[in-house]
Amino acid sequence: MPTEVVDIQTPSGTFEIRVEVRWGDMDALRHVNNVAYFRYFEEARVRLFSAMGLDGAGGRFGVLAHASCDFLKPLLYPACVVVGMKLLRVGRTSVELDCWIADADDPRALHARGRNVLVCADGATGRPVPWTDADRRMLMRCFSA
C-alpha cells in the first residue's frame, strides 16, 4: 500500500531556466502574448520533469492540473527572461509550485507570477500515481539552494 502524504520540509531553493523571447511571441500590440507566458511556464515544467527523470520513458509522466498567471508588467521583444519555480507543497500524487517570469538582467523586475499544480500520472492509464521516495529525493535536489 502506498504511503500517505509525507510531510517534508520544502527546500528554500528555486528551479530556474532562461528563455529568449522570440519575435513570434508578440501580439498585434507588440507585447508578448499572454499565451507565451504559459508556454514559458510549460518549458520550465518540462525541464523540471526531465531533470527528475519523469519524462514518460519510465511509464510515468507529469500532468498539469492547475495553472494560473497574474500579468504584472508588459514584456517586450527583444528580451531574455528567467522563469523560476519554488516548491510550495508535495502531496501524495501532486506538487504545488509558485512560478514567476522575471527580466534576466534584473530578476527583481517581475513580469508575471503564477501557480502550477502538477500530478504524477501512469502512462498507460493516465490516472494519478503516488510519488516514489526516489521522486521526492529528486525534487529536493532540483530545488536545493
Side-chain angles (χ1 to χ4, degrees):
M1 172 177 275
T3 57
E4 202 44 46
V5 175
V6 175
D7 187 19
I8 60 169
Q9 184 71 23
T10 56
S12 60
T14 61
F15 184 86
E16 296 181 340
I17 65 166
R18 292 175 67 92
V19 176
E20 291 289 333
V21 174
R22 300 173 307 168
W23 182 87
D25 292 342
M26 286 190 301
D27 61 18
L29 300 175
R30 301 182 56 97
H31 296 104
V32 171
N33 187 288
N34 294 0
V35 173
Y37 288 74
F38 285 95
R39 287 188 183 127
Y40 302 156
F41 287 144
E42 174 186 55
E43 183 65 27
R45 289 191 310 271
V46 167
R47 292 193 201 175
L48 171 64
F49 279 124
S50 180
M52 290 178 60
L54 197 63
D55 54 7
R60 297 178 312 132
F61 56 92
V63 175
L64 181 64
H66 172 84
S68 64
C69 183
D70 293 322
F71 304 97
L72 305 174
K73 179 179 170 185
L75 183 54
L76 306 172
Y77 174 85
C80 182
V81 295
V82 172
V83 182
M85 298 185 295
K86 180 169 177 38
L87 186 61
L88 297 177
R89 182 187 61 80
V90 179
R92 191 173 74 83
T93 62
S94 65
V95 294
E96 183 176 358
L97 302 167
D98 179 33
C99 308
W100 61 90
I101 298 171
D103 190 304
D105 292 330
D106 182 6
R108 294 171 306 180
L110 292 181
H111 293 278
R113 281 206 86 95
R115 186 166 94 38
N116 284 182
V117 175
L118 309 172
V119 174
C120 183
D122 180 89
T125 66
R127 298 188 57 89
V129 294
W131 298 110
T132 66
D133 289 339
D135 294 334
R136 288 187 177 89
R137 283 192 299 274
M138 284 305 296
L139 270 170
M140 296 307 111
R141 280 190 209 126
C142 288
F143 287 97
S144 61

